[in-house]
Amino acid sequence: MSTGTGSGKSTATWRNWAGNVTARPARETTPASVDELAAALRRAKEDGLKAKPVGTGHSFTPVASTDGLLIRPDLLTGIRAVDRAAGTVTVEAGTPLKRLNAALAREGLSLTNMGDIMEQTVSGAVSTGTHGTGRDSASVAAQIVGLELVTADGSVLTCSADENPDVFAAARVGLGALGVITAITFAVEPLFFLTAREEPMTFDKVTDDFDALVTENEHFEFYWFPHTGNCNTKRNNRSPGPAAPPGKVSAFVEDELLSNGLFQVVNSVGRAFPATIPGIAKISSKALSARTYTDIPYKVFTSPRRVRFMEMEYAVPREALVPALRELKAMVDRSRLRISFPVEVRTAPADDITLSTASGRETAYIAVHMYRGTAYQAYFAAAERIFTAHEGRPHWGKMHTRDAAYFSEKYPRFGEFTALRDRLDPDRMFGNDYLRRVLGA
């Protein structure tokens, strides 16, 4: 069996995907087993070091930042067990979602729903509440039926609805505050086909028909292009098949050229010459044409994202989506802001996870983005004022300015989470500045 790299001194600076968060840990470890991880945590505790697991750095917040022990899950990967009778798969926490999706497909299995990128590790994705869009199916974390957690004292907890249910309720979206997840058991189902229909639609039509579009489709999302009245919609619904993926030319033009290559150029021009952005937006919003294709789920849900950006996303009650979005559009229209990135809208049903952004309520998500290297603060601050006025809950891994006092009002079970944290990590071994702000001291 391979062994981990131990807990050597670190000289490397860790940086997240967007480049806005850096950390200089005192020590790094890449454990190859749960026992090695538990030993590394006990050593860190003896030495008075804090500890944080880090995935692929796709969070825009410093949720994984530490100056203590940085835990890399690179060797905790792969599928541990497939239980076809129970409809579950247990996977090591450091497994990237793209590897999990490919492995499940080889087994003839699939997650029910997923987000639109798959670069993250499974533990990083669930810990921050990563989600896609769905009428009936919720976030990646809501598909968890069991998990294994190593706590601050090196104990290993097995958690499910029946075993340590209080920990299970919280640790599915645990922000890395309760311990280090080492394995996750997901509910899965036999592989199926989705047919995607992508279609331009006006902003007024999408917002007028929003409830019907959500109700009539298993997975509905749309993008609004600021400075225009144009949107691009996507409807994903189950299909008997067979697979009919986009043709190679169509896939290259839509997914690589328009969504990545040309989009990179357009954003670079916009960053250098902001006055060009509204004109470019009008052209860009009309460049994507209607298309229909069918494939296995992860090939429909996910797409490559190579243009780097900054992002803020808020979850609002679903009934608040249209008013909030119309206010956002009115704010952009009357401002001097120049926004080159589309605004993304998705939905989720209510779930029962303590700090899930969809906890206890039907939810819609509004995500605002700015090209990396562009001043985003004024736009995000104005958007955040709108979102918070509509009882918004920010995505835990995306930019926001909220604190524990705000969250204690917006999450009815917030005290449940902090009490559990007091029990599992009384010395705040897994704490950092971000967790101090959002969870309190």
Side-chain angles (χ1 to χ4, degrees), residues 13 23 81 89 93-94 148 157 184 190 237 242 245-246 333 335 337 351 358 368 405:
T13 298
V89 168
E148 181 180 81
L157 294 182
I184 298 172
N237 289 288
D333 287 348
S335 76
L337 295 169
D351 64 40
V368 297

Side-chain angles (χ1 to χ4, degrees), residues 10 24-28 44 48-52 65-70:
S10 172
R24 193 71 181 265
R27 192 185 291 174
E28 285 191 17
L49 292 178
K50 296 199 179 293
K52 293 298 291 181
S65 182
T66 187
D67 60 2
L69 174 65
L70 187 77

Side-chain angles (χ1 to χ4, degrees), residues 1-6 30-32 36 75:
M1 178 181 173
S2 64
T3 58
T5 60
T30 311
E36 282 186 18
L75 301 179

Side-chain angles (χ1 to χ4, degrees), residues 37-38 41-42 45 148-157 159 167 178-181 423-425 429-430:
L37 170 63
L41 288 175
R42 284 192 288 268
K45 195 175 186 70
E148 181 180 81
L149 186 78
V150 182
T151 59
D153 63 2
S155 301
V156 181
L157 294 182
C159 309
V167 181
L178 304 176
V180 181
I181 294 174
R423 176 161 69 83
L424 294 182
D425 187 17
M429 184 176 184
F430 300 115

Side-chain angles (χ1 to χ4, degrees), residues 313-367:
E313 182 180 62
Y314 264 75
V316 297
R318 204 183 99 180
E319 63 273 14
L321 181 277
V322 171
L325 192 63
R326 286 176 174 158
E327 286 173 37
L328 183 70
K329 184 177 187 299
M331 181 274 292
V332 170
D333 287 348
R334 68 173 179 263
S335 76
R336 301 182 67 181
L337 295 169
R338 295 294 176 260
I339 316 299
S340 61
F341 251 85
V343 172
E344 182 180 22
V345 175
R346 295 176 287 176
T347 67
D351 64 40
D352 63 350
I353 303 170
T354 313
L355 291 188
S356 163
T357 46
S359 184
R361 72 185 193 190
E362 293 270 325
T363 295
Y365 296 93
I366 309 175

Side-chain angles (χ1 to χ4, degrees), residues 163-368:
E163 194 173 0
N164 295 305
D166 57 338
V167 181
F168 180 67
R172 284 175 285 169
V173 179
L175 316 184
L178 304 176
V180 181
I181 294 174
T182 46
I184 298 172
T185 301
F186 288 106
V188 293
E189 57 179 306
L191 195 62
F192 55 94
F193 288 109
L194 285 172
T195 292
R197 172 66 180 170
E198 296 176 4
E199 184 179 9
M201 198 176 287
T202 67
F203 181 90
D204 289 341
K205 182 164 178 55
V206 173
T207 52
D208 286 347
D209 297 348
F210 178 71
D211 284 335
L213 288 162
V214 171
T215 302
E216 292 165 7
N217 294 283
E218 291 174 74
H219 309 274
F220 174 71
E221 65 185 307
F222 69 94
Y223 297 85
W224 163 59
F225 294 82
H227 312 295
T228 80
N230 303 324
C231 296
N232 201 49
T233 63
K234 186 177 183 183
R235 287 170 273 191
N236 299 331
N237 289 288
R238 295 199 181 209
S239 158
K248 286 185 178 176
V249 173
S250 167
F252 174 76
V253 170
E254 298 275 345
D255 300 327
E256 293 299 332
L257 183 61
L258 293 179
S259 298
N260 284 293
L262 184 61
F263 194 49
Q264 176 85 52
V265 173
V266 162
N267 276 279
S268 298
V269 170
R271 183 171 64 187
F273 306 103
T276 65
I277 287 175
I280 290 172
K282 287 180 173 63
I283 297 167
S284 299
S285 67
K286 294 178 179 176
L288 296 167
S289 55
R291 62 174 179 166
T292 302
Y293 53 94
T294 301
D295 216 324
I296 59 176
Y298 82 87
K299 295 184 178 181
V300 173
F301 283 128
T302 67
S303 52
R305 290 279 187 276
R306 281 184 273 280
V307 181
R308 302 210 178 202
F309 52 84
M310 307 297 288
E311 182 176 1
M312 169 184 282
E313 182 180 62
Y314 264 75
V316 297
R318 204 183 99 180
E319 63 273 14
L321 181 277
V322 171
L325 192 63
R326 286 176 174 158
E327 286 173 37
L328 183 70
K329 184 177 187 299
M331 181 274 292
V332 170
D333 287 348
R334 68 173 179 263
S335 76
R336 301 182 67 181
L337 295 169
R338 295 294 176 260
I339 316 299
S340 61
F341 251 85
V343 172
E344 182 180 22
V345 175
R346 295 176 287 176
T347 67
D351 64 40
D352 63 350
I353 303 170
T354 313
L355 291 188
S356 163
T357 46
S359 184
R361 72 185 193 190
E362 293 270 325
T363 295
Y365 296 93
I366 309 175
V368 297

